[in-house]
Amino acid sequence: MLRAKNRGRKPLPQLNLMWWQGRYKATLVGTDDYVLACYRYIEMNPVRAAMVSHPGEYRWSSFRCNGLGTSSKG
């Protein structure tokens, strides 16, 4: 059935790359100010994406530990 649907279309080229290759980038965090800026950027992503209204509301956020100083263990 799949062959009948795709008849007449060119096949996609086969790539020997994993889906994450070329996306990972490590950057040295040299100062405390830069670390805090990185935390803010990461923890505000769910807010910018309109998933939550506050970073502490996002289930997988580290905001509660980093921003509020609460333990993540309970």
Side-chain angles (χ1 to χ4, degrees), residues 60-74:
W60 296 279
S61 176
S62 58
F63 175 81
R64 288 177 296 285
C65 183
N66 293 332
L68 302 176
T70 61
S71 173
S72 61
K73 300 260 193 233

Side-chain angles (χ1 to χ4, degrees), residues 20 24 31 38:
W20 62 83
Y24 176 77
T31 65
C38 291

Side-chain angles (χ1 to χ4, degrees), residues 26-37:
T27 304
L28 182 63
V29 178
T31 65
D32 291 344
D33 289 340
Y34 188 56
V35 169
L36 293 175

